[in-house]
Short mmCIF file of all heavy atoms in Angstrom, two decimals:
data_model
loop_
_atom_site.label_atom_id
_atom_site.label_comp_id
_atom_site.label_asym_id
_atom_site.label_seq_id
_atom_site.Cartn_x
_atom_site.Cartn_y
_atom_site.Cartn_z
N ILE A 1 -16.07 -55.16 -43.90
CA ILE A 1 -15.81 -55.75 -45.16
C ILE A 1 -17.10 -56.36 -45.73
O ILE A 1 -17.73 -57.20 -45.14
CB ILE A 1 -14.73 -56.89 -44.97
CG1 ILE A 1 -13.46 -56.31 -44.49
CG2 ILE A 1 -14.56 -57.65 -46.36
CD1 ILE A 1 -12.42 -57.40 -44.14
N ILE A 2 -17.44 -55.91 -46.90
CA ILE A 2 -18.66 -56.35 -47.59
C ILE A 2 -18.29 -56.99 -48.93
O ILE A 2 -17.48 -56.41 -49.68
CB ILE A 2 -19.61 -55.19 -47.81
CG1 ILE A 2 -20.03 -54.58 -46.53
CG2 ILE A 2 -20.87 -55.70 -48.51
CD1 ILE A 2 -20.76 -53.30 -46.62
N THR A 3 -18.79 -58.13 -49.19
CA THR A 3 -18.48 -58.77 -50.55
C THR A 3 -19.79 -58.90 -51.26
O THR A 3 -20.79 -59.31 -50.74
CB THR A 3 -17.91 -60.21 -50.27
OG1 THR A 3 -16.72 -60.07 -49.44
CG2 THR A 3 -17.55 -60.81 -51.57
N ILE A 4 -19.77 -58.49 -52.56
CA ILE A 4 -20.90 -58.58 -53.40
C ILE A 4 -20.51 -59.47 -54.62
O ILE A 4 -19.51 -59.22 -55.33
CB ILE A 4 -21.45 -57.24 -53.85
CG1 ILE A 4 -22.59 -57.41 -54.78
CG2 ILE A 4 -20.37 -56.33 -54.54
CD1 ILE A 4 -23.47 -56.11 -55.01
N THR A 5 -21.34 -60.43 -54.86
CA THR A 5 -21.12 -61.38 -56.00
C THR A 5 -22.36 -61.43 -56.88
O THR A 5 -23.39 -61.14 -56.43
CB THR A 5 -20.80 -62.80 -55.55
OG1 THR A 5 -21.88 -63.28 -54.83
CG2 THR A 5 -19.59 -62.75 -54.59
N ALA A 6 -22.14 -61.77 -58.18
CA ALA A 6 -23.24 -61.97 -59.08
C ALA A 6 -22.91 -63.00 -60.08
O ALA A 6 -21.76 -63.11 -60.52
CB ALA A 6 -23.57 -60.59 -59.81
N SER A 7 -23.91 -63.93 -60.44
CA SER A 7 -23.71 -64.98 -61.32
C SER A 7 -24.99 -65.44 -61.93
O SER A 7 -26.00 -65.08 -61.38
CB SER A 7 -23.00 -66.12 -60.62
OG SER A 7 -23.79 -66.59 -59.58
N LEU A 8 -24.92 -66.22 -62.97
CA LEU A 8 -26.19 -66.81 -63.56
C LEU A 8 -26.29 -68.21 -63.04
O LEU A 8 -25.34 -69.04 -63.03
CB LEU A 8 -26.10 -66.82 -65.08
CG LEU A 8 -26.41 -65.48 -65.75
CD1 LEU A 8 -26.32 -65.61 -67.29
CD2 LEU A 8 -27.70 -64.87 -65.36
N GLU A 9 -27.41 -68.53 -62.67
CA GLU A 9 -27.77 -69.90 -62.19
C GLU A 9 -28.71 -70.51 -63.12
O GLU A 9 -29.89 -70.07 -63.26
CB GLU A 9 -28.36 -69.94 -60.76
CG GLU A 9 -28.59 -71.26 -60.19
CD GLU A 9 -29.24 -71.13 -58.82
OE1 GLU A 9 -30.48 -70.88 -58.74
OE2 GLU A 9 -28.60 -71.23 -57.80
N LYS A 10 -28.32 -71.53 -63.86
CA LYS A 10 -29.13 -72.15 -64.95
C LYS A 10 -30.06 -73.21 -64.33
O LYS A 10 -29.66 -74.04 -63.49
CB LYS A 10 -28.26 -72.78 -66.01
CG LYS A 10 -27.46 -71.72 -66.73
CD LYS A 10 -26.68 -72.29 -67.92
CE LYS A 10 -25.85 -71.31 -68.66
NZ LYS A 10 -26.72 -70.42 -69.37
N THR A 11 -31.30 -73.17 -64.72
CA THR A 11 -32.28 -74.27 -64.39
C THR A 11 -32.93 -74.72 -65.61
O THR A 11 -32.62 -74.34 -66.78
CB THR A 11 -33.35 -73.61 -63.40
OG1 THR A 11 -34.14 -72.68 -64.14
CG2 THR A 11 -32.76 -72.92 -62.23
N GLU A 12 -33.76 -75.68 -65.45
CA GLU A 12 -34.45 -76.34 -66.60
C GLU A 12 -35.28 -75.30 -67.39
O GLU A 12 -35.39 -75.37 -68.60
CB GLU A 12 -35.33 -77.53 -66.17
CG GLU A 12 -34.46 -78.65 -65.66
CD GLU A 12 -35.36 -79.89 -65.33
OE1 GLU A 12 -36.58 -79.79 -65.54
OE2 GLU A 12 -34.81 -80.91 -64.84
N ASP A 13 -35.94 -74.41 -66.58
CA ASP A 13 -36.85 -73.51 -67.22
C ASP A 13 -36.31 -72.17 -67.56
O ASP A 13 -36.72 -71.52 -68.63
CB ASP A 13 -38.09 -73.20 -66.23
CG ASP A 13 -38.77 -74.52 -65.90
OD1 ASP A 13 -38.89 -75.40 -66.75
OD2 ASP A 13 -39.20 -74.69 -64.73
N THR A 14 -35.31 -71.69 -66.78
CA THR A 14 -34.78 -70.30 -67.10
C THR A 14 -33.37 -70.12 -66.50
O THR A 14 -32.92 -70.98 -65.78
CB THR A 14 -35.79 -69.23 -66.48
OG1 THR A 14 -35.29 -67.93 -66.78
CG2 THR A 14 -35.78 -69.42 -64.91
N ASP A 15 -32.75 -68.99 -66.78
CA ASP A 15 -31.53 -68.60 -66.11
C ASP A 15 -31.88 -67.52 -65.10
O ASP A 15 -32.58 -66.51 -65.42
CB ASP A 15 -30.51 -68.03 -67.22
CG ASP A 15 -30.05 -69.08 -68.11
OD1 ASP A 15 -30.16 -70.31 -67.86
OD2 ASP A 15 -29.59 -68.69 -69.21
N ASN A 16 -31.41 -67.70 -63.86
CA ASN A 16 -31.63 -66.76 -62.79
C ASN A 16 -30.37 -66.01 -62.46
O ASN A 16 -29.24 -66.54 -62.42
CB ASN A 16 -32.09 -67.53 -61.53
CG ASN A 16 -33.47 -68.20 -61.72
OD1 ASN A 16 -34.35 -67.69 -62.38
ND2 ASN A 16 -33.59 -69.38 -61.14
N LEU A 17 -30.53 -64.64 -62.35
CA LEU A 17 -29.44 -63.85 -61.88
C LEU A 17 -29.42 -63.93 -60.33
O LEU A 17 -30.39 -63.54 -59.68
CB LEU A 17 -29.66 -62.38 -62.25
CG LEU A 17 -28.59 -61.38 -61.80
CD1 LEU A 17 -27.23 -61.70 -62.30
CD2 LEU A 17 -28.95 -59.94 -62.10
N ILE A 18 -28.29 -64.36 -59.80
CA ILE A 18 -28.06 -64.46 -58.37
C ILE A 18 -27.18 -63.36 -57.94
O ILE A 18 -26.03 -63.37 -58.31
CB ILE A 18 -27.61 -65.87 -57.90
CG1 ILE A 18 -28.50 -66.93 -58.50
CG2 ILE A 18 -27.52 -65.93 -56.40
CD1 ILE A 18 -29.93 -66.88 -58.00
N VAL A 19 -27.64 -62.49 -57.09
CA VAL A 19 -26.79 -61.46 -56.43
C VAL A 19 -26.74 -61.63 -55.00
O VAL A 19 -27.76 -61.75 -54.36
CB VAL A 19 -27.30 -60.02 -56.80
CG1 VAL A 19 -26.42 -58.96 -56.07
CG2 VAL A 19 -27.32 -59.76 -58.34
N GLU A 20 -25.53 -61.76 -54.34
CA GLU A 20 -25.38 -61.88 -52.92
C GLU A 20 -24.57 -60.77 -52.34
O GLU A 20 -23.50 -60.47 -52.95
CB GLU A 20 -24.71 -63.32 -52.63
CG GLU A 20 -25.64 -64.45 -52.96
CD GLU A 20 -25.12 -65.73 -52.42
OE1 GLU A 20 -23.87 -65.81 -52.18
OE2 GLU A 20 -25.83 -66.75 -52.38
N VAL A 21 -25.00 -60.23 -51.23
CA VAL A 21 -24.24 -59.17 -50.55
C VAL A 21 -23.98 -59.76 -49.13
O VAL A 21 -24.91 -60.04 -48.37
CB VAL A 21 -25.02 -57.92 -50.45
CG1 VAL A 21 -24.27 -56.87 -49.58
CG2 VAL A 21 -25.36 -57.36 -51.81
N GLN A 22 -22.65 -59.97 -48.83
CA GLN A 22 -22.25 -60.68 -47.61
C GLN A 22 -21.62 -59.61 -46.68
O GLN A 22 -20.71 -58.83 -47.14
CB GLN A 22 -21.27 -61.82 -47.87
CG GLN A 22 -21.83 -62.85 -48.93
CD GLN A 22 -20.86 -63.90 -49.19
OE1 GLN A 22 -20.02 -64.25 -48.34
NE2 GLN A 22 -21.00 -64.51 -50.37
N ASP A 23 -21.91 -59.65 -45.43
CA ASP A 23 -21.20 -58.85 -44.40
C ASP A 23 -20.55 -59.82 -43.40
O ASP A 23 -20.73 -61.02 -43.50
CB ASP A 23 -22.15 -57.92 -43.68
CG ASP A 23 -23.31 -58.60 -42.90
OD1 ASP A 23 -22.95 -59.41 -42.02
OD2 ASP A 23 -24.52 -58.42 -43.15
N ASP A 24 -19.68 -59.24 -42.51
CA ASP A 24 -18.96 -60.02 -41.55
C ASP A 24 -19.42 -59.80 -40.12
O ASP A 24 -18.64 -59.87 -39.20
CB ASP A 24 -17.50 -59.78 -41.74
CG ASP A 24 -17.14 -58.30 -41.62
OD1 ASP A 24 -18.10 -57.46 -41.24
OD2 ASP A 24 -16.02 -57.90 -41.88
N SER A 25 -20.70 -59.39 -39.95
CA SER A 25 -21.16 -59.11 -38.59
C SER A 25 -21.60 -60.37 -37.90
O SER A 25 -21.54 -61.49 -38.48
CB SER A 25 -22.38 -58.12 -38.69
OG SER A 25 -23.50 -58.76 -39.29
N GLN A 26 -22.13 -60.19 -36.71
CA GLN A 26 -22.68 -61.27 -35.92
C GLN A 26 -23.91 -61.78 -36.57
O GLN A 26 -24.76 -60.95 -37.09
CB GLN A 26 -22.95 -60.83 -34.48
CG GLN A 26 -23.50 -61.96 -33.58
CD GLN A 26 -23.67 -61.46 -32.21
OE1 GLN A 26 -23.35 -60.35 -31.90
NE2 GLN A 26 -24.25 -62.38 -31.36
N ALA A 27 -24.17 -63.01 -36.63
CA ALA A 27 -25.34 -63.56 -37.33
C ALA A 27 -26.61 -63.08 -36.68
O ALA A 27 -26.70 -63.08 -35.48
CB ALA A 27 -25.33 -65.13 -37.29
N PHE A 28 -27.59 -62.73 -37.51
CA PHE A 28 -28.83 -62.24 -37.06
C PHE A 28 -29.70 -63.40 -36.49
O PHE A 28 -29.54 -64.59 -36.92
CB PHE A 28 -29.67 -61.59 -38.17
CG PHE A 28 -29.05 -60.26 -38.55
CD1 PHE A 28 -28.85 -60.04 -39.94
CD2 PHE A 28 -28.69 -59.25 -37.67
CE1 PHE A 28 -28.31 -58.78 -40.37
CE2 PHE A 28 -28.16 -58.10 -38.01
CZ PHE A 28 -27.96 -57.89 -39.45
N SER A 29 -30.62 -63.13 -35.54
CA SER A 29 -31.45 -64.16 -35.01
C SER A 29 -32.47 -64.51 -36.06
O SER A 29 -32.85 -63.76 -37.04
CB SER A 29 -32.12 -63.66 -33.75
OG SER A 29 -33.05 -62.64 -34.08
N GLU A 30 -33.16 -65.65 -35.84
CA GLU A 30 -34.22 -66.10 -36.76
C GLU A 30 -35.41 -65.14 -36.69
O GLU A 30 -36.09 -64.85 -37.69
CB GLU A 30 -34.69 -67.55 -36.43
CG GLU A 30 -33.63 -68.55 -36.61
CD GLU A 30 -33.34 -68.66 -38.12
OE1 GLU A 30 -34.19 -68.58 -38.97
OE2 GLU A 30 -32.11 -68.87 -38.44
N ALA A 31 -35.69 -64.60 -35.50
CA ALA A 31 -36.79 -63.66 -35.29
C ALA A 31 -36.55 -62.42 -36.20
O ALA A 31 -37.49 -61.90 -36.81
CB ALA A 31 -36.92 -63.28 -33.88
N TYR A 32 -35.33 -61.96 -36.23
CA TYR A 32 -34.99 -60.78 -36.96
C TYR A 32 -35.11 -61.00 -38.47
O TYR A 32 -35.60 -60.14 -39.22
CB TYR A 32 -33.63 -60.20 -36.58
CG TYR A 32 -33.22 -59.07 -37.44
CD1 TYR A 32 -33.83 -57.87 -37.29
CD2 TYR A 32 -32.13 -59.11 -38.37
CE1 TYR A 32 -33.53 -56.73 -38.06
CE2 TYR A 32 -31.74 -58.06 -39.11
CZ TYR A 32 -32.44 -56.86 -38.93
OH TYR A 32 -32.11 -55.81 -39.75
N LYS A 33 -34.66 -62.17 -38.88
CA LYS A 33 -34.59 -62.47 -40.32
C LYS A 33 -35.99 -62.57 -40.89
O LYS A 33 -36.24 -62.28 -42.07
CB LYS A 33 -33.82 -63.77 -40.54
CG LYS A 33 -32.29 -63.59 -40.40
CD LYS A 33 -31.53 -64.82 -40.83
CE LYS A 33 -31.85 -65.98 -39.92
NZ LYS A 33 -30.98 -67.17 -40.29
N THR A 34 -37.01 -62.95 -40.08
CA THR A 34 -38.36 -63.01 -40.51
C THR A 34 -39.00 -61.68 -40.55
O THR A 34 -40.07 -61.46 -41.18
CB THR A 34 -39.11 -63.99 -39.66
OG1 THR A 34 -39.12 -63.52 -38.30
CG2 THR A 34 -38.59 -65.40 -39.69
N LYS A 35 -38.41 -60.70 -39.77
CA LYS A 35 -39.10 -59.42 -39.66
C LYS A 35 -38.44 -58.33 -40.53
O LYS A 35 -39.09 -57.26 -40.85
CB LYS A 35 -39.10 -58.94 -38.24
CG LYS A 35 -39.70 -57.55 -37.92
CD LYS A 35 -39.68 -57.27 -36.43
CE LYS A 35 -40.83 -57.95 -35.78
NZ LYS A 35 -41.04 -57.46 -34.35
N VAL A 36 -37.24 -58.55 -40.94
CA VAL A 36 -36.47 -57.47 -41.55
C VAL A 36 -37.07 -56.93 -42.81
O VAL A 36 -36.86 -55.70 -43.12
CB VAL A 36 -35.04 -57.94 -41.82
CG1 VAL A 36 -35.01 -59.02 -42.89
CG2 VAL A 36 -34.08 -56.80 -42.11
N PHE A 37 -37.82 -57.74 -43.58
CA PHE A 37 -38.43 -57.23 -44.80
C PHE A 37 -39.86 -56.73 -44.59
O PHE A 37 -40.43 -56.31 -45.58
CB PHE A 37 -38.40 -58.31 -45.91
CG PHE A 37 -37.09 -58.80 -46.31
CD1 PHE A 37 -36.55 -59.94 -45.89
CD2 PHE A 37 -36.35 -57.94 -47.14
CE1 PHE A 37 -35.27 -60.39 -46.36
CE2 PHE A 37 -35.10 -58.37 -47.52
CZ PHE A 37 -34.55 -59.57 -47.15
N GLU A 38 -40.33 -56.59 -43.35
CA GLU A 38 -41.61 -56.11 -43.15
C GLU A 38 -41.58 -54.57 -43.20
O GLU A 38 -40.61 -53.89 -42.94
CB GLU A 38 -42.18 -56.54 -41.74
CG GLU A 38 -42.37 -58.04 -41.61
CD GLU A 38 -42.90 -58.46 -40.27
OE1 GLU A 38 -43.14 -57.53 -39.45
OE2 GLU A 38 -43.06 -59.58 -40.04
N GLN A 39 -42.79 -54.04 -43.47
CA GLN A 39 -42.92 -52.55 -43.52
C GLN A 39 -42.77 -52.04 -42.13
O GLN A 39 -43.38 -52.44 -41.18
CB GLN A 39 -44.24 -52.14 -44.16
CG GLN A 39 -44.38 -50.73 -44.43
CD GLN A 39 -45.70 -50.42 -45.08
OE1 GLN A 39 -46.42 -51.26 -45.45
NE2 GLN A 39 -45.94 -49.12 -45.45
N PHE A 40 -41.96 -50.94 -42.01
CA PHE A 40 -41.75 -50.33 -40.69
C PHE A 40 -41.30 -51.33 -39.60
O PHE A 40 -41.85 -51.39 -38.61
CB PHE A 40 -42.95 -49.51 -40.26
CG PHE A 40 -43.44 -48.49 -41.24
CD1 PHE A 40 -44.60 -48.72 -41.95
CD2 PHE A 40 -42.67 -47.37 -41.45
CE1 PHE A 40 -44.98 -47.71 -42.88
CE2 PHE A 40 -43.08 -46.39 -42.38
CZ PHE A 40 -44.34 -46.70 -43.07
N ALA A 41 -40.35 -52.08 -39.99
CA ALA A 41 -39.87 -53.13 -39.00
C ALA A 41 -39.35 -52.48 -37.74
O ALA A 41 -38.78 -51.44 -37.74
CB ALA A 41 -38.73 -53.95 -39.69
N ASN A 42 -39.63 -53.22 -36.67
CA ASN A 42 -39.25 -52.76 -35.33
C ASN A 42 -37.72 -52.91 -35.15
O ASN A 42 -37.19 -53.92 -35.21
CB ASN A 42 -39.97 -53.55 -34.26
CG ASN A 42 -39.51 -53.24 -32.90
OD1 ASN A 42 -38.95 -52.13 -32.63
ND2 ASN A 42 -39.79 -54.06 -31.94
N ARG A 43 -37.01 -51.79 -34.93
CA ARG A 43 -35.61 -51.84 -34.77
C ARG A 43 -35.15 -51.74 -33.37
O ARG A 43 -33.98 -51.57 -33.09
CB ARG A 43 -34.95 -50.61 -35.58
CG ARG A 43 -35.39 -50.47 -37.00
CD ARG A 43 -34.73 -51.63 -37.85
NE ARG A 43 -35.09 -51.58 -39.15
CZ ARG A 43 -34.78 -52.50 -40.08
NH1 ARG A 43 -34.14 -53.59 -39.76
NH2 ARG A 43 -35.22 -52.36 -41.29
N GLU A 44 -36.06 -51.85 -32.39
CA GLU A 44 -35.70 -51.70 -31.00
C GLU A 44 -35.06 -52.99 -30.44
O GLU A 44 -34.47 -52.94 -29.33
CB GLU A 44 -36.96 -51.33 -30.18
CG GLU A 44 -37.52 -49.96 -30.67
CD GLU A 44 -38.77 -49.56 -29.84
OE1 GLU A 44 -39.16 -50.43 -29.00
OE2 GLU A 44 -39.28 -48.48 -30.04
N ASN A 45 -35.28 -54.14 -31.08
CA ASN A 45 -34.69 -55.39 -30.54
C ASN A 45 -33.16 -55.21 -30.54
O ASN A 45 -32.51 -54.60 -31.38
CB ASN A 45 -35.05 -56.50 -31.43
CG ASN A 45 -34.87 -57.83 -30.81
OD1 ASN A 45 -33.74 -58.16 -30.34
ND2 ASN A 45 -35.90 -58.62 -30.72
N VAL A 46 -32.51 -55.80 -29.47
CA VAL A 46 -31.13 -55.59 -29.31
C VAL A 46 -30.26 -56.20 -30.46
O VAL A 46 -29.10 -55.72 -30.66
CB VAL A 46 -30.61 -56.31 -27.98
CG1 VAL A 46 -31.27 -55.59 -26.83
CG2 VAL A 46 -30.99 -57.80 -27.99
N ASP A 47 -30.76 -57.14 -31.19
CA ASP A 47 -29.89 -57.72 -32.24
C ASP A 47 -30.19 -57.05 -33.61
O ASP A 47 -29.79 -57.53 -34.64
CB ASP A 47 -30.09 -59.21 -32.39
CG ASP A 47 -31.42 -59.56 -32.85
OD1 ASP A 47 -32.41 -58.71 -32.77
OD2 ASP A 47 -31.68 -60.71 -33.28
#
């Protein structure tokens, strides 16, 4: 089950488009969250 939402978030300077994609899996570790956007990320870690 994946939920995707989109909305405008107003600030003093501008309006930001916020898009969120939510899954229902087990929470990722902090180590993975810091690496996931790296180029050629290592996928061998168990999580």
